[in-house]
Amino acid sequence: MTTYNFDEIIERRGTDSGKWSYFDADVIPMFVADMDFRSPEAVVKALHDRVDHGVFGYGFKPSQELLDTLIQRFATRYNWDVIAEDFVLLPNLVSGIYITARAIGQPGDHIVVNTPIYWPFVSAAEKAERPLDMVPLRLIQDDDQTMRYEIDFEAFEASITPQTKLFILCNPHNPIGRVYEKWELEKIAEICLKNGVIICSDEIHCDLIYKDHKHISMASLSPEIAQITITLQAPSKTFNVPGMGLGFAVIQNPELREKFNKTYETLGVHPTILGQHSALAAYRDGQEWLDQLLEYLECNRDFLVEYVQKNFPKVHVSIPEGTYLGWLDFRDAGIPGEPCAFFLEHGRVALSGNWEAQNCEGFARINYGCPRSQLEEALDRMAEAYSRIGQ
């Protein structure tokens, strides 16, 4: 067995990294969902082999080997039977959200999301000229400074009107880290089936699941639910290959898939050859790396939670069930202004913020998909800045 060193510090400045070039060189970037680990060796080798071929033409359709690998993976990991025709390869997962928002319904029809939510869900509705109905998740805070969210099903169902055509689900949920249970997904599906609402299920973090939790794909629940569901996945988060540019939709309803593809064709974009090769290598040969990554991330998660409890009085933190994203509630912390701006100025740490549009003022997201020493240094800087409030 190969042992992977996730403690290794890999210099990413000067490598065209959006994460590491966005802010000044003295800032530790913990904002974008991009891990600071080397991708699986199988992926690196597959890319070397393809580059050595030296010709990089168009790839009009996915390789049968990639499709067969995905079909087998879905059967064994998600207990979901799919066929090659169900797949639509994409340049990335976000493009799938944008395509779905435009393909379902007409301008003026409504889209529903649960907040807080990954920002492209909001911008996709805006660009598609669809009014967005944001239904807040129910926040539950505990005495030990931890917090979790639950779906407010009464509010969710009340938000749906005859003009509602699409619900965009995030599972595992970014930024709160929930991995929804089967009964929750069944309740969502029941409401959507009853009201004729299509479900777009963003499952990009579906392989980043911690112990005692299990990912269930919405469309795997039943053939009836599959007929109203567009599932979006990608290798990018799991295997840290977002720069390769590949995602895919799984759509088992032929009419729904045709609507999706007609909108897709208007964009003039397509996935890349290197993206397909990296995806095949990752899904086929990357499991050993992924198993070790999950152990490391779970330890990082626990370190983050314990650090907040010890060093940030009045701050609540999520305990993610999946993803590598922590969610912090600074509303009672007495921070002057917006938390991300505060920690950027006073701690030189960049968090993901600006959640005000979703009525989440005072919250921030932190990416702990990095070497432990980097996470610790960022938290130390934040704690030092936090300790000086009011001085």
Side-chain angles (χ1 to χ4, degrees):
M1 183 183 79
T2 302
T3 300
Y4 295 93
N5 180 17
F6 295 105
D7 286 319
E8 179 186 7
I9 300 294
I10 301 171
E11 179 58 66
R12 298 186 63 193
R13 293 185 179 90
T15 64
D16 300 316
S17 164
K19 178 179 182 178
W20 284 89
S21 64
Y22 193 85
F23 294 99
D24 293 338
D26 65 331
V27 172
I28 301 178
M30 310 290 280
F31 68 112
V32 68
D34 170 344
M35 293 188 289
D36 290 310
F37 306 125
R38 196 182 306 277
S39 297
E41 185 58 35
V43 171
V44 177
K45 183 181 183 302
L47 290 172
H48 272 298
D49 292 344
R50 188 63 184 83
V51 168
D52 287 343
H53 181 263
V55 181
F56 311 105
Y58 293 113
F60 291 121
K61 56 191 249 182
S63 72
Q64 191 60 47
E65 188 175 8
L66 174 57
L67 291 173
D68 289 345
T69 299
L70 289 171
I71 290 168
Q72 180 63 29
R73 186 178 184 84
F74 274 50
T76 56
R77 292 182 72 90
Y78 316 130
N79 194 31
W80 182 13
D81 293 327
V82 295
I83 59 176
E85 288 73 18
D86 297 335
F87 287 89
V88 181
L89 261 62
L90 302 165
N92 51 54
L93 185 138
V94 170
S95 64
I97 296 173
Y98 276 69
I99 292 166
T100 302
R102 291 177 56 194
I104 304 304
Q106 303 295 326
D109 288 333
H110 287 229
I111 297 175
V112 173
V113 298
N114 290 130
T115 57
I117 196 64
Y118 181 44
W119 65 264
F121 285 38
V122 178
S123 59
E126 178 185 339
K127 299 300 183 185
E129 300 179 348
R130 269 63 165 177
L132 184 68
D133 297 318
M134 294 188 283
V135 183
L137 295 161
R138 183 183 292 117
L139 174 61
I140 300 170
Q141 294 186 328
D142 297 317
D143 293 337
D144 62 355
Q145 291 181 242
T146 61
M147 62 181 177
R148 74 189 305 271
Y149 285 83
E150 295 180 352
I151 298 170
D152 185 336
F153 288 105
E154 184 176 340
F156 173 59
E157 186 161 17
S159 73
I160 296 175
T161 72
Q163 286 71 48
T164 305
K165 305 301 179 185
L166 178 66
F167 169 60
I168 310 181
L169 170 70
C170 194
N171 181 39
H173 194 111
N174 174 6
I176 64 173
R178 277 296 317 278
V179 176
Y180 290 118
E181 298 178 23
K182 184 178 180 182
W183 74 268
E184 294 174 295
L185 298 174
E186 289 174 335
K187 184 67 174 176
I188 291 170
E190 176 189 344
I191 293 170
C192 290
L193 281 166
K194 183 171 67 175
N195 290 280
V197 174
I198 298 297
I199 301 169
C200 177
S201 185
D202 171 357
E203 301 180 7
I204 197 170
H205 291 97
C206 65
D207 292 319
L208 297 170
I209 307 294
Y210 300 125
K211 291 192 294 286
D212 301 324
H213 299 282
K214 179 183 178 182
H215 175 72
I216 299 171
S217 285
M218 173 65 82
S220 73
L221 292 174
S222 74
E224 185 181 22
I225 296 169
Q227 290 297 298
I228 65 165
T229 302
I230 295 171
T231 303
L232 302 176
Q233 291 191 17
S236 52
K237 303 303 181 191
T238 305
F239 299 102
N240 204 33
V241 289
M244 287 293 100
L246 184 84
F248 53 88
V250 185
I251 311 171
Q252 293 182 287
N253 182 327
E255 294 182 4
L256 195 56
R257 188 167 60 247
E258 183 179 4
K259 287 182 180 180
F260 185 94
N261 280 327
K262 281 185 176 180
T263 300
Y264 186 7
E265 290 166 2
T266 67
L267 304 183
V269 295
H270 53 80
T272 67
I273 286 288
L274 294 182
Q276 293 187 52
H277 275 263
S278 64
L280 174 60
Y283 286 129
R284 186 186 58 200
D285 304 316
Q287 191 60 47
E288 184 177 78
W289 179 92
L290 177 56
D291 289 341
Q292 294 179 44
L293 170 73
L294 286 171
E295 291 181 6
Y296 193 90
L297 288 177
E298 189 160 354
C299 289
N300 269 8
R301 178 201 66 180
D302 295 344
F303 179 85
L304 168 65
V305 172
E306 292 168 7
Y307 193 104
V308 170
Q309 291 170 319
K310 182 178 179 180
N311 297 281
F312 291 85
K314 299 184 180 180
V315 175
H316 282 77
V317 58
S318 64
I319 305 179
E321 301 162 352
T323 81
Y324 47 80
L325 305 169
W327 183 239
L328 302 166
D329 180 0
F330 293 102
R331 290 177 299 172
D332 297 329
I335 290 176
E338 199 270 326
C340 291
F342 174 82
F343 288 113
L344 180 61
E345 178 181 356
H346 299 284
R348 306 309 285 160
V349 175
L351 305 176
S352 176
N354 299 318
W355 301 91
E356 291 83 358
Q358 300 180 27
N359 295 319
C360 291
E361 296 89 348
F363 288 83
R365 191 188 76 179
I366 184 169
N367 173 0
Y368 56 84
C370 61
R372 183 78 43 75
S373 59
Q374 180 181 315
L375 174 61
E376 186 170 6
E377 181 182 354
L379 291 171
D380 284 347
R381 290 188 184 190
M382 292 171 60
E384 173 63 22
Y386 186 74
S387 70
R388 296 197 305 268
I389 293 175
Q391 294 182 4

